[in-house]
Amino acid sequence: MIRESASRPSAPLTTRLDDIVQSLGAASNLDHALQGIVKSVRDLFRVDICLLYLSDPARLDVQQLMAWEGLGDHAAPPAFADTLANLVAERSEPVNLRDSKTLPAHQDATSHVYLGVPIMHLGALLGVLIVQQTAQSQFSEYEQASLATLAAQIAGGIQLAKARSSINARVSGDMPAAPFFEGVIGAPGIAAGTAHVIYARSELAQIPNRDVTDIDSEIAVFQAAVSRVAGELDRIAEEQGGMLTAEDRTLFRAYAMIARSDELVTSTLAGIRNGNWAPGALRDSIQEHARYFEAMEDPYFRERADDIRDIGRALLNELQTLQPIDEHYPARTILVGEDLSPLDLAAVKGTRLVAVISGHGSRLSHLAILARSMGIPAVMGLADTLPLTNLHGKSLIVDGYKGRLYIEPDVSLKRQYRSLAARERRLSKRLRHLRDQTAQTPDGFRIPLYTNAGLLSDLNPSLAAGSEGIGLYRTEYPFMVRDSFPTEEEQYTLYRKVLQTFHPRPVTLRTLDIGGDKPLAYFPVQETNPFLGWRGIRISLDHPEMFLTQIRAMLRASSGLNNLSLLLPMISRVEDLDEGLILIRRAYQQLEQEGLSITRPLLGAMIEVPSAVYQAEALARRVDFLSVGTNDLIQYLLAVDRNNERVARWFDALHPAVIQALLRIIRAGRRNGTPVSVCGEAAGDPAVALLLVGMGVSSLSLSAGDLPRIKWAIHSFSRQRARTLLRQSLKLEQASAIRSLLTQALVDAGLDALVHPGNLD
Ligand code: PEP
Ligand code: MG
């Protein structure tokens, strides 16, 4: 490309880099993947030598040479290379040298130039890429930038290839200890079980590998699918009197030829003979062929890759018709998927579901919130770290405390897991005696503990945890599982059941909070930034007919029970609240005119947008209670997408700005005599709960699974002590310092089980 002149490469660099990244995904194992990289880099950069090092997992300061190109017969790398690799690793930045004399311990003057760049993945050093060239002048800045760009692009592919190879090594017994992979903590707990991968049926790339025993019948099904698809394409091509032009016919004929082509069929059959089911073998074969075309210079041939993928989808469809998949969930199912939805969890009946692994999301995603309320561990955001489709049928241990996943654990790891699980059970048993006690500090400060519900989970976990009521009932899901808005009657039936189940305990029904990450298939909203878009109360106010239907259903459901509170989400200005309250009043009057006698419910506003924090007092004057939604409030205050695993570590409820905001809201409520509840997930964090007690919060609403532990914390700390901790926290400028302070306080009070719950190390 690039070398020895300021000229830029002929094909756009991004295209060439894309090709390298694509071929990395197609490589059959790690060695091939790395070898492919060094070869492509040497060609692209027109250098003499290219070397690829990976960090030694045991000693991160040592780089191991894994692949090389251009060393000729003497397969040993130049002496300086290891030193340079370690230097790049140590600095975590590119090193561009004119000769090796500049390197410590290397005095062999040459006319070589060297460039080394780190390969970083999700903030960690994965390895180092080095190129060497015989020349007098250093690599240019452009070359350095290009190599650094390439390193950034291949990092994800290398990580996945590494993960795939260690899973295979573990399965074949070549790796003694179970590898573990770190994601984002979703929901706490530890569970062992068998992976069951859920995937989008029509997405070829998501098809998991599955072992087959009856290879002959799998081959027969595949051949039948090929003959049906190719036959159908032939039929279309030959059809007379239709709309097709001669060109179209030629295209369909070509499609039929590709579908039954030797290359495609033979490589798929080879995959099946290796023990993979037909859809998995087809996926590999289609991807390999599509990449082959994509790598071509000629744009006409490059576009043929799309045809191959189309044919792959048609074959996949046919396979699924011929052999419908009967999802058989193992006895201890660990559900795995790129983007699981709460509906996927609901599909696993009974007590089979023991844990969840999601490719994307964080602990604030509704999937994780649901897992927490079901009391099962969840690890999120593993899609960039691990090829999830390879996990199907594997034995796993999910450590939701640390966000770790162990693959094919050995006996001793399983033993450790069992002893931890036993410890957890002992703790739960110990906390069970608190179930029927109210939550109160030793110096008499009473804090009602309610639970959050509505994400498809039934109300049993809340009842079992000794909840004093429902502090937040999310009404979105009944809307999401239908294909049109539920009728007033359907909503009435649902809300009535919730109110009755908890009667006489209070139940707070939140009005519809769709938009953001909760879209309705039958009410599509296209927005570039849905979290800052049309969501919650904004949609309700623009669709008063929908809003009034929901309010009428809620009010009717409370008739005779009188335990209803109504909560309005996403309030960002007083006008929205005023308008919402007017509509509620109108629905109430309508029902009165219809002859129904309903006790007026308590009305509340959610504080989950920064503007509402600054207007908390004005809002408090208008309602009976405020409820702080920390999930969204933190997202908006700290500018951290609550569903994005990449920024999960920036989402911190102990950020000083969050603490200041919470204090401000609670003070505003107190000044106005309006109770303030906290219903976001932060209320289930013992450290945050202590601060909230110190602030004088009126009540907390939590995931059922968090309730016993938070009650224990409240029983263990006087209000006085909590106030002192709050004062100390307010002086600190970093969340980590505040976390340390509160963790130490919990440990000193004998609650270490709350801060160091599980440890498999
Ligand atoms: C919140 O935002 O904190 C909240 C409780 O609501 P949701 O998680 O449903 O957005
Ligand atoms: Mg919210």
Side-chain angles (χ1 to χ4, degrees), residues 193-470:
T194 308
H196 186 91
V197 176
I198 298 288
Y199 57 95
R201 294 278 154 81
S202 55
E203 285 291 332
L204 201 62
Q206 284 198 24
I207 301 290
N209 290 335
R210 288 190 179 175
D211 295 340
V212 279
T213 37
D214 191 348
I215 289 180
D216 289 342
S217 98
E218 203 67 13
I219 288 178
V221 173
F222 173 66
Q223 282 169 333
V226 170
S227 111
R228 282 206 197 191
V229 168
E232 178 62 11
L233 292 165
D234 284 338
R235 194 191 60 71
I236 298 172
E238 302 314 324
E239 205 170 60
Q240 298 302 318
M243 310 272 288
L244 295 189
T245 63
E247 273 174 11
D248 293 339
R249 287 179 203 289
T250 314
L251 191 69
F252 278 103
R253 248 174 246 122
Y255 276 11
M257 273 170 62
I258 298 176
R260 54 165 76 93
S261 71
D262 232 21
E263 292 85 354
L264 213 67
V265 173
T266 314
S267 62
T268 308
L269 290 181
I272 297 174
R273 288 199 183 96
N274 274 338
N276 204 354
W277 68 328
L282 175 71
R283 177 206 61 214
D284 287 347
S285 163
I286 291 289
Q287 287 182 339
E288 188 188 321
H289 286 86
R291 284 187 190 117
Y292 174 75
F293 280 98
E294 265 162 2
M296 294 189 174
E297 297 274 344
D298 185 322
Y300 173 81
F301 284 116
R302 291 176 72 89
E303 275 175 26
R304 300 289 66 80
D306 287 342
D307 298 341
I308 305 260
R309 290 210 172 87
D310 285 347
I311 290 160
R313 269 188 287 275
L315 286 167
L316 178 67
N317 234 334
E318 198 55 48
L319 280 173
Q320 288 170 350
T321 313
L322 286 168
Q323 204 176 37
I325 298 160
D326 178 20
E327 290 296 5
H328 174 73
Y329 297 105
R332 292 181 63 79
T333 295
I334 296 178
L335 217 52
V336 179
E338 278 277 319
D339 258 318
L340 292 174
S341 94
L343 301 180
D344 295 318
L345 269 61
V348 191
K349 299 288 176 239
T351 53
R352 285 177 173 257
L353 184 65
V354 297
V356 175
I357 300 290
S358 173
H360 297 288
S362 77
R363 63 184 298 279
L364 284 311
S365 305
H366 288 102
L367 182 76
I369 294 176
L370 175 58
R372 211 167 303 131
S373 82
M374 293 167 83
I376 57 172
V379 176
M380 317 287 286
L382 275 162
D384 289 343
T385 309
L386 183 67
L388 294 176
T389 50
N390 287 41
L391 293 182
H392 192 79
K394 305 275 184 301
S395 157
L396 306 178
I397 290 181
V398 178
D399 179 349
Y401 293 117
K402 293 199 166 150
R404 280 184 186 177
L405 172 66
Y406 295 81
I407 299 170
E408 295 292 338
D410 53 24
V411 181
S412 96
L413 196 61
K414 281 188 180 158
R415 199 177 309 121
Q416 271 176 280
Y417 143 73
R418 273 196 295 273
S419 90
L420 269 177
R423 209 167 80 190
E424 281 204 326
R425 279 196 298 277
R426 279 198 299 277
L427 177 62
S428 302
K429 211 164 142 197
R430 224 172 104 198
L431 297 184
R432 213 165 291 148
H433 77 277
L434 294 176
R435 189 187 170 283
D436 299 319
Q437 295 180 25
T438 51
Q440 185 162 327
T441 62
D443 51 354
F445 181 63
R446 165 100 173 84
I447 304 176
L449 292 186
Y450 304 121
T451 42
N452 298 340
L455 288 172
L456 271 190
S457 50
D458 61 21
L459 299 168
N460 289 336
S462 293
L463 291 170
S467 163
E468 296 183 56
I470 299 292

Side-chain angles (χ1 to χ4, degrees), residues 364 366 369 452 472 474 476 510 513 518 535 606 608 628-633 642 679-681:
L364 284 311
H366 288 102
I369 294 176
N452 298 340
L472 169 67
R474 294 178 168 99
E476 295 76 65
R510 183 176 71 183
D513 187 25
K518 287 174 285 190
R535 64 169 291 206
M606 282 196 82
E608 50 182 349
V628 186
T630 52
N631 306 340
D632 278 313
L633 181 59
R642 61 189 273 186
C679 67
E681 292 305 300

Side-chain angles (χ1 to χ4, degrees), residues 16 44 138 150 174 236 255 361 394 498 613 626 711 722 753:
R16 313 275 299 269
L44 177 63
Q138 258 175 283
L150 176 95
D174 294 344
I236 298 172
Y255 276 11
K394 305 275 184 301
V498 181
V613 175
L626 295 176
K711 197 183 273 186

